[in-house]
Amino acid sequence: MVYATSRSKIYPHYVFTPGRKPRNFSAKRKLKTVCHINTTDVKKTAQEYAQNSSLHGLRYLGSKDLHVVERLFWIISFIIAASTSGYFIKDLLTKWFETPVIMSLSPKSTSLTEIPFPAITICNMNNARKSVAEAINLNGSTIEKILLKDFCEEDTILGNIIEDNASSSWPVVQKFMLKVSQPCHKMILSCTWHGEHQNCYEIFNAALTDEGMCCTFNRVKNELIFRNPSHSSDLNATFPFTSIDWTPEKGYDEDTPLNHVPWRPWGAGSHLGLTIILNAELDEYYCSSEASHGFKVTLHNPVETPKITAFGTLISPGWETQIKIKPTLHISTVQLKSIDQEKRQCYFSDERMLRFYRTYTQRNCIMECESNFTLHFCQCVMYYMPKDTSTRICGKKDILCANRAKLTMETKLGDNYALNESVWHESGQKPTCGCLPACCSIAYDKIQSSSELSTHFKVRHEYVLGRDPSYFRKNMAVVHFFFTEAQFTSIIKGELFGTTELLSGAGGLLGLFMGFSFLSVFEALYFLTLRLWCSIRRRKNTQNVKNEVLRIIQPRVTYPFLN
């Protein structure tokens, strides 16, 4: 062995062998490293986390200066605090999942000019005028006599006479209804709208309802109600005023003129509402739909089909009636769309598409559902229901079947899904009655009061309209429709617990019981990942240094025979 010297120092690190290059044992060599976590690393990191954590009481668990009893006390205290906060957070999560919607009053008042005046449908309870009925009985055709019995009598053979093809039978029935019913210009004699006299023929239009031929005010055109208005059995009424595509969800555009249908109220009070004078023509009564005589009236959404028979209120001739209107406006926030439909219990317009109607409302959905069920059970629909042009219109023989279908449908209105998987429309569509309310909707409540027309003094000329006072008090009714307040409070439907509210509630509980904050999460992640990894790396580097030192100072054996 030859020792190399340099600068008066001996380096035993180089061993020279003849014919070979010297080998450097002290040079750094790449060692195969295996990183693993042992109990010491975890224990040390956990102790450091406990001593430096921002959570209340946790630093006492890692203190070596405390007695075991003291540590036990803080362990129990910490567990109690964590369990209590977890219990209240569980309640918070339950509310978030089960009752995520809250309905509250809007902090801002809504002006009447932002909503439409209600659509008003009025019907005379007289099914057929006496003069026309007597003329039909005397000189009318066979089909007219049968139709007259159909309108006024329980037992009839109309269903056996009218053809099954609706395209040929319905025009006959519609023509007969127009002939025997009281026309709008004879029912409504005077109209005052926004304090100005109007031509009643222009602002009221004839409409077919479940009560027969009626007159409606402020209802938009059929083209804006039905998807295919040519399939509707309603009358092709002419509208002298422009109708706009208004919906409860979209509302009015800022530049919409006031003279576009649906019209808007100008303010509160009877002088800014609608006043009409109705003529019952009691001498023309031949048969009534009720046990009394007079009119039926209902207030509804301008894009809905009204149902008068079940929901109309009565107005008697010989009385002056005030109908005070109270609107109910429901508005939904955009955030509500993120909540499941079953939990928020309402539909947005683009979530539930109706087959016949363009705009989803609960009433339109119910009417369509009733039409689907009647068609399924009776293979026909009533004349006032939405339908296709090829669908047969029910005759009198189908009334019992239609009533049973209606009853079956109404008992399932609360279901959110199809009534029965085996119930299918002939076209293949499933008739469903998941008619939840619309998320954005408007309804009109009314308070009705009446006073009998005077028989002892002269009545205003604009009410009598040149008729005999006794005839006026017997046959005519004066009705005022108006709002009582220029502004009202709408109802807002929104999230009760959104993501922000959930984080705030849970963070507040954790902060109250444990001192938890947002940075506590990163603190825990730091000790579980980066801190633990650095501890392992330091231990590994320390071990490598120790191994190298031991290798350097290890005594070497010299073999003489190598020289």
Side-chain angles (χ1 to χ4, degrees):
M1 168 76 67
V2 179
Y3 290 92
T5 62
S6 175
R7 298 180 183 179
S8 304
K9 292 184 180 180
I10 299 176
Y11 291 89
H13 304 77
Y14 293 90
V15 179
F16 296 94
T17 305
R20 295 185 181 180
K21 293 182 179 181
R23 292 177 296 170
N24 186 357
F25 289 101
S26 66
K28 293 184 179 179
R29 294 178 298 173
K30 293 184 179 180
L31 302 177
K32 189 175 181 181
T33 304
V34 178
C35 287
H36 62 279
I37 302 175
N38 57 28
T39 307
T40 304
D41 297 325
V42 175
K43 184 177 180 180
K44 182 179 179 181
T45 304
Q47 188 176 15
E48 289 180 356
Y49 173 69
Q51 291 177 344
N52 298 280
S53 176
S54 59
L55 296 181
H56 294 167
L58 197 61
R59 64 177 180 271
Y60 297 109
L61 303 183
S63 177
K64 298 179 180 180
D65 300 332
L66 296 181
H67 191 270
V68 63
V69 177
E70 293 178 296
R71 289 190 182 183
L72 182 62
F73 170 81
W74 284 109
I75 290 175
I76 296 175
S77 300
F78 187 82
I79 293 175
I80 292 175
S83 302
T84 306
S85 62
Y87 172 79
F88 287 112
I89 291 174
K90 176 179 175 296
D91 289 346
L92 191 67
L93 289 172
T94 301
K95 292 181 180 180
W96 190 53
F97 285 112
E98 295 183 359
T99 56
V101 179
I102 184 173
M103 297 179 66
S104 59
L105 298 178
S106 173
K108 181 181 178 181
S109 298
T110 303
S111 174
L112 288 179
T113 57
E114 298 181 24
I115 63 171
F117 200 87
I120 301 173
T121 301
I122 304 172
C123 308
N124 194 327
M125 287 186 284
N126 183 20
N127 290 338
R129 289 181 291 166
K130 184 178 180 180
S131 58
V132 178
E134 290 177 348
I136 290 176
N137 288 330
L138 185 63
N139 299 315
S141 63
T142 303
I143 188 63
E144 286 181 332
K145 293 178 180 179
I146 294 174
L147 287 171
L148 183 61
K149 289 183 179 181
D150 183 33
F151 268 54
C152 296
E153 297 180 12
E154 293 294 333
D155 299 326
T156 181
I157 56 174
L158 171 65
N160 298 326
I161 300 297
I162 297 297
E163 301 177 20
D164 288 345
N165 189 349
S167 61
S168 61
S169 64
W170 172 242
V172 177
V173 179
Q174 187 182 64
K175 182 179 179 180
F176 173 81
M177 293 178 66
L178 289 171
K179 182 177 181 180
V180 300
S181 300
Q182 184 187 30
C184 290
H185 69 276
K186 289 190 175 182
M187 180 194 300
I188 307 171
L189 301 181
S190 176
C191 302
T192 303
W193 171 238
H194 290 163
E196 298 180 357
H197 289 285
Q198 301 286 340
N199 188 344
C200 299
Y201 185 78
E202 292 183 352
I203 64 176
F204 276 88
N205 294 282
L208 287 173
T209 68
D210 54 347
E211 190 68 20
M213 194 69 64
C214 301
C215 303
T216 184
F217 167 82
N218 207 32
R219 186 172 178 235
V220 300
K221 293 181 179 179
N222 286 344
E223 289 80 2
L224 300 177
I225 298 178
F226 300 101
R227 294 191 180 278
N228 194 339
S230 61
H231 292 178
S232 172
S233 58
D234 206 347
L235 304 176
N236 294 322
T238 58
F239 282 73
F241 300 95
T242 303
S243 291
I244 62 172
D245 191 11
W246 174 89
T247 63
E249 186 171 329
K250 184 176 64 175
Y252 289 98
D253 295 332
E254 293 184 0
D255 56 347
T256 302
L258 292 175
N259 61 342
H260 285 189
V261 179
W263 292 306
R264 284 170 278 182
W266 288 5
S270 58
H271 63 292
L272 294 178
L274 174 69
T275 297
I276 57 176
I277 299 177
L278 305 174
N279 186 7
E281 293 185 332
L282 296 183
D283 294 337
E284 285 285 344
Y285 262 64
Y286 183 76
C287 57
S288 176
S289 60
E290 300 291 344
S292 60
H293 56 261
F295 307 93
K296 280 187 176 181
V297 61
T298 187
L299 310 181
H300 57 93
N301 191 314
V303 295
E304 290 178 340
T305 299
K307 295 193 72 174
I308 309 296
T309 301
F311 302 104
T313 56
L314 302 180
I315 295 179
S316 299
W319 292 73
E320 183 174 10
T321 304
Q322 287 189 339
I323 297 180
K324 302 174 183 178
I325 306 170
K326 183 179 180 181
T328 303
L329 180 63
H330 287 265
I331 304 173
S332 295
T333 60
V334 179
Q335 292 78 11
L336 198 67
K337 267 195 172 184
S338 61
I339 301 177
D340 188 76
Q341 296 172 359
E342 293 183 38
K343 294 181 180 179
R344 56 177 145 96
Q345 289 292 293
C346 69
Y347 290 121
F348 285 92
S349 58
D350 57 348
E351 294 178 334
R352 179 71 187 274
M353 305 297 292
L354 298 178
R355 181 184 176 192
F356 299 109
Y357 291 98
R358 296 178 70 248
T359 304
Y360 178 87
T361 68
Q362 191 173 34
R363 285 190 179 183
N364 285 347
C365 178
I366 293 173
M367 180 67 77
E368 185 166 306
C369 182
E370 185 178 346
S371 176
N372 289 335
F373 258 72
T374 305
L375 180 62
H376 171 76
F377 286 111
C378 310
Q379 287 72 52
C380 64
V381 298
M382 300 301 292
Y383 66 88
Y384 58 85
M385 295 179 179
K387 61 185 181 304
D388 294 328
T389 53
S390 59
T391 304
R392 183 174 72 88
I393 295 177
C394 296
K396 197 64 176 241
K397 70 172 185 178
D398 304 304
I399 293 298
L400 292 178
C401 178
N403 289 337
R404 287 196 300 268
K406 178 182 177 181
L407 180 62
T408 303
M409 181 273 304
E410 289 179 342
T411 57
K412 298 293 185 178
L413 281 179
D415 292 355
N416 295 336
Y417 303 99
L419 296 181
N420 193 324
E421 293 293 336
S422 63
V423 178
W424 290 85
H425 190 273
E426 291 180 351
S427 66
Q429 291 195 7
K430 185 189 302 183
T432 61
C433 268
C435 295
L436 297 175
C439 294
C440 299
S441 63
I442 185 170
Y444 302 92
D445 299 325
K446 56 183 180 292
I447 301 175
Q448 185 170 330
S449 60
S450 300
S451 178
E452 190 175 5
L453 293 177
S454 173
T455 58
H456 304 294
F457 52 84
K458 293 183 65 175
V459 183
R460 292 168 58 179
H461 175 72
E462 59 266 27
Y463 290 164
V464 178
L465 299 174
R467 286 174 170 77
D468 182 80
S470 61
Y471 178 89
F472 169 77
R473 297 183 182 97
K474 177 183 177 182
N475 293 273
M476 301 174 73
V478 180
V479 189
H480 308 276
F481 301 90
F482 60 94
F483 291 91
T484 57
E485 296 179 359
Q487 294 181 331
F488 64 97
T489 302
S490 57
I491 299 175
I492 298 179
K493 183 180 288 188
E495 283 185 313
L496 175 61
F497 288 105
T499 305
T500 303
E501 291 76 13
L502 180 65
L503 289 176
S504 299
L509 290 170
L510 290 172
L512 174 65
F513 289 99
M514 303 174 61
F516 185 87
S517 67
F518 184 73
L519 289 178
S520 299
V521 178
F522 293 96
E523 186 180 60
L525 290 175
Y526 166 72
F527 278 97
L528 288 174
T529 57
L530 186 61
R531 185 71 175 179
L532 183 61
W533 179 79
C534 291
S535 177
I536 296 172
R537 291 292 299 176
R538 283 196 298 268
R539 178 180 58 81
K540 181 178 71 68
N541 293 335
T542 302
Q543 186 64 35
N544 290 339
V545 171
K546 290 181 179 180
N547 294 338
E548 183 69 16
V549 171
L550 291 175
R551 190 190 64 79
I552 292 174
I553 65 176
Q554 184 178 4
R556 294 185 176 275
V557 179
T558 304
Y559 299 94
F561 55 86
L562 293 177
N563 293 329

